C-alpha cells in the first residue's frame, strides 16, 4: 500500500545515512543546498512524530553518500563526501544519544556507498577502480575495513539492505545513468556479487529496509525526476521487483531502514 506521513527531521537534508536498532532509526549527515551536515537525528519507530537530535558525526565528516548501517546495537557510517571523499568509519551506540566515535578506516577514500549488515558484519559497496568494490568490518570490533569482493557493474549511489544471511545492493548509477540493477551477496562468505534481478524503475539515491524476509525500496532519482515508486522483493528468491505502492511525494536522496 501507499506510505503515510510519520513526521519531520530536525533539518531539511538529503543524501544521509541511516541505521536502526533498539526501536530507533537514526539519520546521519547529509547536505543542505551543498552545505555538509554532521547532525544525527533519531526517531522511535513505534511512535509517530518528529525526529530528535541524537548527536553529531566527527568534526569535518558531515559527509554525504556515506554508507550507514548497524548490527542493531551499534550504528556505523562509512566514508562519504564533505568537500572531498572520506575513508573514515565512525560509530554510535544506538541506545545512547551522543556524538560518534572513530571506528577505523576504509581501504581508500570512497563515497556514493550502499551498505548492509547481517547483524554482525557490515559491507560497504561502491565501484572503485583502485580497491575492492566491497569492503567489510565486524561492527562489534573497531578496526579498519577488509576487502570483500567486486560488484557485477560499475555501480555507485546505490542503497543496501540485508537479513541475517543475504545482502542486497540495489539501484544507483552506472556511468552517471540511473540503474535498475539489483545484486546480492552472502555476507559471511567473501566473494563477488551475483545478479538478483531488476527494479521496476531505474533510479539512484533510493532508500529501503528489510524485515528479515522482504526488502522494500522507495523513491530515488530517475533520469528525469524523483520518483514516488515503492518496490519490493523477497530476499531469499532472486527475481525482479514488484510494485508495492507509492510514497506521499517523489523524492531522491532519502534514507531508510527497518527495525
Amino acid at each position: 500500500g501507499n506510505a503515510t506521513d510519520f513526521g519531520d527531521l530536525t533539518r531539511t537534508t538529503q543524501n544521509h545515512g541511516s541505521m536502526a536498532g533498539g526501536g530507533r532509526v537514526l539519520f546521519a549527515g547529509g547536505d543542505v543546498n551543498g552545505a555538509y551536515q554532521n547532525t544525527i537525528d533519531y526517531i522511535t519507530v513505534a511512535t509517530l512524530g518528529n525526529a530528535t537530535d541524537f548527536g553529531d558525526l566527527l568534526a569535518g565528516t558531515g559527509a554525504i553518500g556515506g554508507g550507514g548501517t548497524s548490527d542493531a546495537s551499534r550504528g556505523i557510517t562509512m566514508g562519504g563526501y564533505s568537500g572531498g571523499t572520506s575513508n573514515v568509519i565512525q560509530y554510535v551506540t544506538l541506545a545512547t544519544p551522543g556524538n560518534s566515535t572513530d571506528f577505523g578506516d576504509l581501504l581508500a577514500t570512497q563515497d556514493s556507498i550502499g551498505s548492509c549488515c547481517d547483524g554482525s558484519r557490515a559491507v560497504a559497496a561502491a565501484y572503485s577502480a583502485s580497491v575492492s568494490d566491497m569492503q567489510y568490518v565486524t561492527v562489534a570490533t573497531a578496526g579498519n575495513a577488509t576487502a570483500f569482493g567486486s560488484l557485477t557493474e560499475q555501480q555507485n549511489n546505490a542503497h543496501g539492505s540485508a537479513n541475517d544471511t543475504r545482502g542486497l545492493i540495489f539501484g544507483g548509477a552506472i556511468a552517471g545513468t540511473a540503474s535498475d540493477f539489483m545484486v546480492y551477496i552472502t555476507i559471511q562468505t567473501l566473494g563477488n556479487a551475483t545478479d538478483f534481478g531488476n527494479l521496476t524503475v531505474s533510479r539512484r539515491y533510493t532508500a529501503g529496509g528489510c524485515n528479515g524476509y522482504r526488502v522494500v525500496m522507495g523513491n530515488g532519482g530517475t533520469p528525469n525526476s524523483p520518483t514516488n515508486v515503492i518496490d519490493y522483493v523477497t530476499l531469499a528468491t532472486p527475481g525482479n521487483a514488484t510494485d508495492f505502492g507509492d510514497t506521499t511525494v517523489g523524492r531522491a536522496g532519502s534514507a531508510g531502514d527497518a527495525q
Side-chain angles (χ1 to χ4, degrees):
N2 296 334
T4 302
D5 184 77
F6 187 98
D8 298 318
L9 296 170
T10 63
R11 79 285 191 212
T12 301
T13 188
Q14 62 180 359
N15 299 328
H16 43 280
S18 59
M19 54 200 90
R24 289 177 170 169
V25 176
L26 276 60
F27 306 95
D31 77 281
V32 179
N33 297 322
Y36 307 115
Q37 305 295 300
N38 69 345
T39 302
I40 308 170
D41 287 350
Y42 77 95
I43 57 171
T44 301
V45 180
T47 307
L48 302 185
N50 295 336
T52 301
D53 182 72
F54 185 94
D56 295 322
L57 296 171
L58 295 171
T61 62
I64 65 173
T69 191
S70 73
D71 66 355
S73 176
R74 176 179 281 184
I76 63 173
T77 66
M78 299 177 279
Y81 185 92
S82 54
T85 53
S86 170
N87 68 342
V88 174
I89 308 170
Q90 51 195 300
Y91 75 93
V92 295
T93 301
L94 297 172
T96 308
N99 297 336
S100 67
T101 300
D102 186 76
F103 184 97
D105 296 320
L106 295 172
L107 296 173
T109 60
Q110 205 162 12
D111 64 359
S112 304
I113 290 171
S115 58
C116 56
C117 182
D118 64 355
S120 173
R121 177 179 285 181
V123 178
Y127 170 72
S128 173
S130 59
V131 296
S132 175
D133 295 347
M134 294 182 288
Q135 307 169 43
Y136 77 93
V137 295
T138 300
V139 180
T141 308
N144 296 335
T146 300
F148 187 96
S150 298
L151 296 167
T152 62
E153 301 287 341
Q154 297 180 6
Q155 191 175 8
N156 288 302
N157 306 127
H159 196 83
S161 194
N163 60 15
D164 60 4
T165 301
R166 179 173 284 183
L168 185 73
I169 306 297
F170 51 89
I174 297 173
T177 300
S179 168
D180 64 356
F181 281 8
M182 295 185 288
V183 298
Y184 73 94
I185 55 175
T186 301
I187 295 177
Q188 290 298 317
T189 305
L190 302 187
N192 298 336
T194 302
D195 182 70
F196 188 95
N198 300 108
L199 297 168
T200 64
V201 177
S202 294
R203 61 188 115 152
R204 55 185 173 181
Y205 304 120
T206 188
C210 181
N211 66 353
Y213 170 71
R214 177 178 283 183
V215 177
V216 177
M217 304 158 283
N219 295 137
T222 69
N224 299 311
S225 61
T227 180
N228 68 345
V229 171
I230 309 172
D231 289 347
Y232 76 93
V233 296
T234 301
L235 191 50
T237 309
N240 294 335
T242 301
D243 183 72
F244 186 94
D246 299 319
T247 57
T248 55
V249 295
R251 58 185 68 131
S254 55
D257 217 324
Q259 176 60 70

